[in-house]
Amino acid sequence: QVQLTESGGGSVEAGGALNISCAASGSIDASYCMGWFRQVPGKEREGVAVIDSDGSRDYTDSVKGRFTISKDPKKNIVYLQMTNVKPEDSAVYYCVAVPFLGPRAVLRGAFKVATWGQGTQVTVSS
């Protein structure tokens, strides 16, 4: 069983930067992709950035060039560095761990089995 614990988040002005992180514990191994989804009220959860155990990454188009996902494999921690943030980046960000799929499939939500974190709020003011 995998457990995910998120930290970071908060409020930032547009154009600023913010980092969030997710620590994984339990039965997580190299078969897992880890990443970030986000959700605003009334909308579906959308994939933001995903990374696999080899360091391959995928991003949703709206964050490319602004967000960077990285991983500390020894600590099983995944980071999301957000720069040049925009008000439309405001959402609850959820960490996710998915086994046996690549980053693109996970980003698209093409999975049935996943472990989710509790979510962390990111608010970008204009």
Side-chain angles (χ1 to χ4, degrees):
Q1 191 172 0
V2 176
Q3 295 85 37
L4 302 175
T5 304
E6 296 137 342
S7 59
S11 298
V12 62
E13 292 186 353
L18 196 66
N19 298 328
I20 54 178
S21 62
C22 173
S25 60
S27 305
I28 192 162
D29 57 29
S31 71
Y32 279 80
C33 276
M34 291 183 66
W36 295 94
F37 278 60
R38 65 187 179 187
Q39 189 172 26
V40 297
K43 292 190 176 181
E44 292 187 359
R45 200 171 289 189
E46 67 163 345
V48 176
V50 179
I51 187 169
D52 69 10
S53 59
D54 293 329
S56 295
R57 301 168 174 85
D58 206 357
Y59 299 91
T60 191
D61 287 345
S62 63
V63 307
K64 287 180 179 176
R66 301 189 298 119
F67 290 11
T68 302
I69 189 170
S70 61
K71 183 177 181 180
D72 183 335
K74 293 184 178 180
K75 296 181 179 179
N76 275 333
I77 298 176
V78 172
Y79 304 94
L80 186 67
Q81 297 173 286
M82 299 181 283
T83 63
N84 191 22
V85 294
K86 303 176 181 180
E88 51 264 41
D89 294 322
S90 296
V92 177
Y93 282 70
Y94 295 92
C95 182
V96 67
V98 180
F100 306 122
L101 285 178
R104 180 154 295 184
V106 174
L107 193 70
R108 293 176 177 174
F111 52 84
K112 293 182 179 180
V113 176
T115 300
W116 295 93
Q118 78 280 6
T120 185
Q121 178 71 46
V122 172
T123 302
V124 182
S125 57
S126 58

